[in-house]
Amino acid sequence: MGVREQLQTDLATAMRQGDSETRDTIRLLLAAIKQVEIDQRVDLDEAGDLAVLAKQAKQRRESIKDAEAAGRPDLVAVE
């Protein structure tokens, strides 16, 4: 099972369990993958999917770091 299929399965599970935080996070990741495919007009393979996920993780870590530096614990909690 590929990364995207696992995300779809996990999304369905989160929705059934009513876990809105996990659901929203997975939807964000799937949307980021889809956006890259649309922008580049390609179908990403497993490596492409993982690259998008790594980029999203890095972006979130940087956002958390910036929010902490600004003294914004509310933004840290959201990220």
Side-chain angles (χ1 to χ4, degrees):
M1 178 181 293
V3 172
R4 200 177 315 197
E5 292 82 16
Q6 184 63 48
L7 286 172
Q8 291 288 353
T9 303
D10 292 345
L11 176 62
T13 302
M15 290 173 72
R16 272 189 242 108
Q17 294 175 349
D19 186 355
S20 62
E21 186 175 320
T22 301
R23 179 197 66 207
D24 294 344
T25 301
I26 294 172
R27 282 183 176 166
L28 176 97
L29 295 173
L30 289 171
I33 290 170
K34 189 66 175 173
Q35 187 63 47
V36 168
E37 287 183 332
I38 291 169
D39 290 346
Q40 296 179 1
R41 295 186 177 141
V42 296
D43 288 328
L44 294 177
D45 58 359
E46 189 77 13
D49 290 345
L50 290 173
V52 171
L53 295 179
K55 183 178 178 181
Q56 288 295 311
K58 180 181 177 190
Q59 184 177 353
R60 300 292 166 238
R61 284 191 299 270
E62 289 174 355
S63 295
I64 289 171
K65 183 178 143 189
D66 292 343
E68 286 174 342
R72 297 287 308 265
D74 55 324
L75 295 178
V76 172
V78 170
E79 287 296 326

